[in-house]
Amino acid sequence: MIYLCSGCHKTTFEISCPWCSGAQSLDSAAPHLQHMTPLDPSFYPDFQYQSKGFIKDLLGKKKEQAQLNDLLNNVLRKYAQLKQPYFTNFIHTARDTTAGSSEASVPGPRFDGVYSQRELFREVLIRKGFDELEGLPTLLDKLLQTTTFNSVYAGFSRELTKHIKGDLHETLRSWIEEAGTTFRADLALFYFYLWENDISFSSVQFNVDAPSKPGAPLMPLAEFRNGLGLCERIYFDIEVRRFGSQLEHFNPNRFITMYLVDGMDGFEFEAFLVKVFQTIGFDVKETKKTADQGADLFVSRFGKTMVIQAKNYTGSVGNAAVQQAISAKAFYGCDEAMVVTNSYFTKSANELATTAGVRLVDRDALQGYLDDYNQKLIEVFQAEAEE
């Protein structure tokens, strides 16, 4: 089974996150699993029998496991019924899907209550007959993470399909050339896709017990790390080749530099960002220039949509731009929000963005986007020269 770490949000086949080992768990019943959310609800620790000692296991394990199986089947049935539209729409429209400290442990109204969208969502589900949420306080969090994960994986798998080649090395190269450094976080998704679609490579071996045995990794951690090492070698080779190509073909008169960006007005900057995001592989949609509710662009990739605020400034960008991005994300129901500038952000803007989960692209980060944009143009010129 594949697990999502609630701490670093990376995926792994291990029941303890290898990326942030030592993280403390709050689930006393299953301390090693609380930090990890399985993709499949059948693997949630809520539905796994916890040993109570040899004698008690001998006398009561079979009966209790049967009860847990019944509970699981009821939860799976109701989740399947309510996933569309309730769960899926909630993860795309809610501003915050995580549990907060102010939420009541028991659903329902309370004196002077200020209710989060997540609390209201839980009550909607309970009124629809999902009463198991009352007895399992962490179940909703897990189901929301699984729903979010499935949504991301669906977009990932659609993109990965076009990169499958005859051997592993060529498949990884094709994928990494487009995905860039995201391969480091998404490699578990890559292997999971191979396993789920019965795609065989002689150098990749999966654990046949993993689909039915909780805690059994789909592949050994050592083999996974070997795969990550192969990806790093491929990525390094790609970067060397691209840099050599850039040195050979770069012409300052045909490419965009940051100084040219500085000379753009607001509308030119937005139009240029359209070209940048399209060139590096995003689907882009511009907004109307009036009444845009804080949105300048919408970009999408891997099934996720992001709203972008574009700020071509000579001075620092403050809180107002971040607040506009937050409002636009909520108004348009986007998955993410970003503010892009050719300048830098104030300290308070950075703090607000961190709290609200808004991605900030300052002058230094924008230079990275320009490098990718110029590199793509080089590849186009090379392809045209070879024709």
Side-chain angles (χ1 to χ4, degrees):
M1 183 42 54
I2 189 167
Y3 296 86
L4 176 68
C5 176
S6 58
C8 65
H9 303 292
K10 292 183 179 179
T11 50
T12 178
F13 300 124
E14 307 297 316
I15 59 176
S16 296
C17 180
W19 315 112
C20 47
S21 57
Q24 295 298 313
S25 167
L26 301 177
D27 190 340
S28 58
H32 64 299
L33 284 175
Q34 168 64 25
H35 199 57
M36 313 299 292
T37 300
L39 169 64
D40 186 343
S42 302
F43 284 74
Y44 290 169
D46 311 69
F47 308 118
Q48 306 299 323
Y49 179 78
Q50 305 298 321
S51 177
K52 299 174 176 59
F54 178 76
I55 300 298
K56 291 184 178 180
D57 286 354
L58 188 64
L59 297 175
K61 179 179 179 179
K62 186 175 182 179
K63 179 179 179 181
E64 184 172 335
Q65 186 61 64
Q67 293 172 340
L68 289 173
N69 290 341
D70 288 341
L71 178 61
L72 169 63
N73 290 332
N74 284 333
V75 167
L76 291 178
R77 176 175 54 81
K78 292 177 181 179
Y79 177 61
Q81 291 173 343
L82 297 170
K83 185 176 179 181
Q84 297 283 2
Y86 293 97
F87 279 91
T88 300
N89 285 354
F90 181 73
I91 65 168
H92 286 296
T93 60
R95 290 186 294 274
D96 186 7
T97 62
T98 59
S101 58
S102 62
E103 292 185 6
S105 58
V106 178
R110 57 185 183 272
F111 288 111
D112 299 323
V114 176
Y115 308 108
S116 67
Q117 288 183 319
R118 185 187 170 284
E119 280 186 287
L120 298 176
F121 178 61
R122 178 174 62 173
E123 184 63 25
V124 167
L125 296 176
I126 290 172
R127 294 186 182 189
K128 289 287 183 181
F130 211 146
D131 51 322
E132 286 80 4
L133 297 176
E134 296 181 279
L136 298 170
T138 64
L139 178 60
L140 181 56
D141 290 329
K142 294 184 175 73
L143 290 174
L144 285 173
Q145 286 192 54
T146 289
T147 307
T148 303
F149 186 81
N150 275 322
S151 176
V152 172
Y153 177 69
F156 174 86
S157 60
R158 284 196 298 270
E159 292 294 321
L160 187 59
T161 300
K162 62 186 179 185
H163 296 293
I164 301 300
K165 309 296 181 182
D167 64 75
L168 179 63
H169 192 278
E170 287 304 309
T171 296
L172 287 172
R173 175 174 288 276
S174 177
W175 172 49
I176 293 171
E177 280 185 331
E178 180 175 300
T181 56
T182 60
F183 75 84
R184 294 172 183 144
D186 293 341
L187 185 58
L189 296 184
F190 174 86
Y191 282 123
F192 188 78
Y193 176 89
L194 298 185
W195 170 77
E196 186 181 55
N197 291 277
D198 294 321
I199 299 173
S200 299
F201 295 117
S202 58
S203 57
V204 179
Q205 301 297 321
F206 295 117
N207 183 353
V208 294
D209 294 330
S212 59
K213 185 179 179 181
L218 190 59
M219 63 191 310
L221 183 58
E223 186 173 338
F224 179 83
R225 291 188 183 279
N226 287 338
L228 186 58
L230 173 60
C231 289
E232 291 289 357
R233 292 192 294 274
I234 291 172
Y235 177 70
F236 178 73
D237 182 65
I238 291 172
E239 288 295 284
V240 170
R241 178 171 51 81
R242 285 179 173 175
F243 188 65
S245 175
Q246 183 172 335
L247 293 175
E248 182 179 353
H249 296 277
F250 186 80
N251 181 344
N253 296 322
R254 301 180 68 183
F255 293 86
I256 299 296
T257 65
M258 189 63 72
Y259 301 106
L260 291 177
V261 173
D262 291 339
M264 297 176 182
D265 61 28
F267 292 131
E268 289 172 334
F269 185 51
E270 290 177 26
F272 174 63
L273 288 181
V274 171
K275 295 179 181 178
V276 168
F277 281 96
Q278 285 176 334
T279 302
I280 61 178
F282 286 83
D283 294 323
V284 183
K285 178 182 177 183
E286 291 183 83
T287 64
K288 295 180 180 179
K289 300 307 178 186
T290 57
D292 59 14
Q293 300 295 330
D296 292 324
L297 307 172
F298 297 103
V299 302
S300 59
R301 192 178 183 185
F302 297 151
K304 299 184 72 173
T305 301
M306 179 166 58
V307 60
I308 296 178
Q309 262 284 309
K311 297 296 182 185
N312 194 336
Y313 280 12
T314 55
S316 297
V317 179
N319 280 9
V322 180
Q323 290 167 343
Q324 289 174 336
I326 295 170
S327 299
K329 177 186 175 185
F331 184 84
Y332 291 106
C334 295
D335 301 295
E336 297 182 74
M338 174 188 284
V339 184
V340 182
T341 182
N342 64 320
S343 183
Y344 294 95
F345 295 93
T346 63
K347 181 180 179 181
S348 60
N350 277 288
E351 291 173 348
L352 176 60
T354 299
T355 302
V358 174
R359 296 169 61 180
L360 300 184
V361 175
D362 64 8
R363 187 178 185 87
D364 296 336
L366 180 59
Q367 183 62 59
Y369 281 92
L370 292 184
D371 292 342
D372 288 341
Y373 173 78
N374 287 330
Q375 179 59 44
K376 291 292 184 181
L377 291 184
I378 288 172
E379 293 172 3
V380 171
F381 296 151
Q382 283 182 294
E384 291 175 348
E386 293 171 357
E387 291 179 355

